[in-house]
Amino acid sequence: MNRKSRDIERRSRLLVDGRRGAGPVVYWLSRDQRVHDNWALLCAQQEALIRGRGLVVVFCLVTDYPGGEQRSYHFLLAGLAELARQLAELGIGFVLLRGDPALALPPWLHRIDACTLIGDFDPLRLKRQWQRRLLAEIGIPFIEVDAHNVIPAWIASNKREYSAATFRPKYRRLIDDYLTDIPAVIRHPHPGPAASPPLETDRLLGEVTGRRAGPVNWLVPGETAGKAAVETALNDRLPGYASRRNDPCGNGQSNLSPYLHFGQISAQRLAWRVSGAPLAEEDRQAFLEELLVRRELADNFCLHESDYDRFAGFPAWARQSLDEHRGDRRPYCYSLAELENGGSHEALWNACQRDLVATGKLHGYLRMYWAKKILEWTSEPEEALHIAITLNDRYSLDGRDANGYTGIAWSIGGVHDRAWPRRLIFGKVRFMNEKGCRRKFAVDDYITAVNLNHRRDRF
């Protein structure tokens, strides 16, 4: 077995066997929306080449996805339009289906007499439900590939990890073997189904139900733009990352999380580039810790904890401590609508919310503070969790993601954290406030910058 086949095989697993049809190999693309550096597409092409079949990529557009807004659909559809063009240049078909994949895919697969189905790994509940229902309806082999993580989530750990401290040693034992260069997809030599017409992205965007958050204009979607953003990060943003990453005024974030969320860039390719870049070692290690260990720990949490977005998913010590403080008096208590409109008494929190609404992105350090204040200003932790997830999924370009659910669970429920000295409302969950932020960065400068940008974006 050559290296390429070995790398594909160990990132893949056969979930169900069956009778192969006489038609093309199908890649059901979902989480990893790119042509290049995509192990799932490479797996599908290898299967098609071995069997002398055509190759087609299919995407199922669900226009009422929970938390989905015009903002996220615009980013998704623009990326898919570019992906379809790139696939056509490689002799690979692309088909867009509408609706629930478990309902839309089976009749289409039957109609084309599909040979084999390849699908993306995703730890989120709705995606896994789609997959289970789909597997019950199809009679062909289904292969799942984790092209989102560098180490497949089911290999990195077979259980829910308590913290980064327990996950990191397991991860580091494997990473050198998995962090490799990625082979290129080739022009496919076997014809497949007739090409679909170009995507009418404006018309499709009109079908989306979410209307609260419109597209942003500071970030260009798609694989090509994502690769350009990687170059900008390597040259301009990652030097000094270790010292600047917690300063929202310091231009120290990579701005790559939307591209990673939509799978328009590969985390493995990014890590490969960072590993070989002329960066200070402290900057390289700080960034790789976030990109690899912390990001893949989030997938571990959502894969092994079915209640990743519920109070029941918090560790026992945090649930007990929060329960003990349910009756604590809240000096301030806000509704979802008040918080969504940036209507708290605290200028920094309001600026964070306006920043999120206007740009679709909130600095990582501030997102922790933002979520913890929601816990402090709501009647119970369940309500805080609901509001934080609702606002993050609704407005953030990288919302509806394992990283988001895990980050909010860390902020509100102590997931992957330890118990801290007891406080009112928070119990033993880590506390953050504006005073602590002022020790980290120039809070007033951030508030001023957000207010100016917010007014310009709206007027």
Side-chain angles (χ1 to χ4, degrees):
M1 181 184 297
N2 61 34
R3 179 61 186 259
K4 176 181 176 181
S5 297
R6 172 178 172 267
D7 281 347
I8 290 172
E9 182 175 307
R10 63 188 181 152
R11 289 174 168 86
S12 313
R13 56 181 180 177
L14 179 67
L15 296 190
V16 64
D17 207 348
R19 182 192 66 81
R20 290 180 172 84
V25 171
V26 176
Y27 168 32
W28 168 31
L29 176 143
S30 176
R31 195 183 192 196
D32 292 287
Q33 300 163 24
R34 63 185 180 276
V35 173
H36 304 288
D37 300 328
N38 186 338
W39 289 109
L41 181 57
L42 289 167
C43 176
Q45 183 167 64
Q46 178 171 272
E47 177 78 5
L49 291 172
I50 289 171
R51 304 189 185 282
R53 305 294 179 83
L55 175 58
V56 61
V57 175
V58 61
F59 184 87
C60 295
L61 181 66
V62 179
T63 55
D64 59 351
Y65 190 87
E69 291 285 332
Q70 294 278 318
R71 169 172 299 170
S72 55
Y73 278 101
H74 173 264
F75 207 89
L76 179 151
L77 288 168
L80 288 180
E82 180 187 7
L83 178 141
R85 292 192 296 270
Q86 291 179 341
L87 289 172
E89 293 171 359
L90 292 167
I92 301 171
F94 177 80
V95 172
L96 183 78
L97 299 179
R98 311 291 185 83
D100 183 330
L103 298 176
L105 273 172
W108 180 78
L109 292 170
H110 178 73
R111 187 164 63 251
I112 66 170
D113 197 17
C115 173
T116 306
L117 182 62
I118 316 296
D120 291 332
F121 163 79
D122 197 310
L124 298 187
R125 184 184 306 111
L126 180 58
K127 306 290 188 68
R128 290 166 70 80
Q129 289 172 351
W130 285 347
Q131 186 187 85
R132 284 194 297 269
R133 290 168 50 219
L134 176 63
L135 293 180
E137 296 294 327
I138 63 174
I140 59 175
F142 182 93
I143 300 171
E144 182 181 59
V145 183
D146 190 349
H148 211 73
N149 297 303
V150 179
I151 302 173
W154 59 83
I155 291 176
S157 177
N158 62 1
K159 66 176 184 178
R160 171 181 165 176
E161 293 294 334
Y162 181 77
S163 68
T166 64
F167 183 66
R168 193 180 294 110
K170 298 178 180 180
Y171 194 88
R172 287 181 173 171
R173 283 195 292 270
L174 296 168
I175 187 60
D176 287 345
D177 194 35
Y178 278 88
L179 185 53
T180 62
D181 199 359
I182 308 173
V185 64
I186 64 171
R187 180 168 180 79
H188 200 69
H190 306 293
S196 298
L199 292 187
E200 299 180 36
T201 54
D202 289 342
R203 181 174 60 81
L204 292 170
L205 197 59
E207 299 177 14
V208 173
T209 57
R211 291 288 187 274
R212 291 182 178 87
V216 301
N217 58 16
W218 67 275
L219 198 63
V220 178
E223 186 171 355
T224 299
K227 289 179 178 179
V230 169
E231 299 306 317
T232 299
L234 289 169
N235 295 326
D236 302 334
R237 293 180 172 274
L238 295 191
Y241 180 82
S243 60
R244 293 188 290 116
R245 58 180 168 162
N246 286 336
D247 182 358
C249 302
N251 197 35
Q253 294 277 285
S254 70
N255 282 344
L256 297 176
S257 60
Y259 297 109
L260 288 165
H261 166 70
F262 286 98
Q264 294 175 357
I265 60 174
S266 159
Q268 182 172 342
R269 173 62 65 191
L270 176 58
W272 179 255
R273 292 291 311 282
V274 169
S275 295
L279 296 167
E281 194 59 23
E282 63 178 359
D283 295 333
R284 185 189 339 275
Q285 293 305 323
F287 182 75
L288 290 177
E289 168 74 10
E290 298 293 332
L291 175 68
L292 300 180
V293 175
R294 298 287 177 166
R295 181 173 165 275
E296 299 194 18
L297 178 61
D299 260 30
N300 169 271
F301 175 61
C302 292
L303 175 62
H304 295 291
E305 175 52 71
S306 59
D307 290 318
Y308 58 79
D309 56 352
R310 299 167 181 152
F311 181 83
F314 297 167
W317 66 263
R319 295 198 308 271
Q320 178 181 346
S321 182
L322 289 167
D323 279 339
E324 290 170 353
H325 288 269
R326 285 181 183 272
D328 291 354
R329 188 178 73 86
R330 270 77 169 163
Y332 302 95
C333 208
Y334 298 108
S335 67
L336 169 60
E338 289 171 319
L339 292 172
E340 184 169 19
N341 291 321
S344 83
H345 66 285
E346 195 162 295
L348 175 58
W349 194 94
N350 295 342
C352 290
Q353 178 62 19
R354 287 196 295 271
D355 199 5
L356 178 62
V357 170
T359 69
K361 190 176 186 298
L362 186 58
H363 187 282
Y365 182 80
L366 286 176
R367 188 145 41 176
M368 297 185 291
Y369 153 81
W370 171 87
K372 285 181 176 293
K373 302 314 283 186
I374 295 175
L375 171 61
E376 186 175 353
W377 298 337
T378 48
S379 62
E380 59 182 7
E382 289 87 351
E383 183 186 15
L385 190 62
H386 167 71
I387 289 175
I389 288 174
T390 297
L391 294 179
N392 191 62
D393 283 0
R394 184 174 291 170
Y395 291 105
S396 181
L397 280 168
D398 65 358
R400 310 153 310 282
D401 190 282
N403 281 309
Y405 299 126
T406 305
I408 290 170
W410 178 90
S411 300
I412 294 175
V415 168
H416 299 151
D417 204 0
R418 62 177 176 85
W420 289 73
R422 188 183 298 274
R423 282 180 173 270
L424 289 175
I425 302 173
F426 285 80
K428 296 181 180 180
V429 172
R430 185 193 299 250
F431 177 76
M432 290 179 70
N433 65 1
E434 182 176 323
K435 184 183 293 185
C437 292
R438 288 186 178 276
R439 291 194 292 268
K440 291 280 188 180
F441 65 94
V443 165
D444 293 330
D445 288 351
Y446 171 76
I447 294 171
T448 299
V450 168
N451 288 343
L452 288 172
N453 287 335
H454 184 57
R455 285 196 295 271
R456 184 167 63 248
D457 286 343
R458 290 195 62 180
F459 305 110

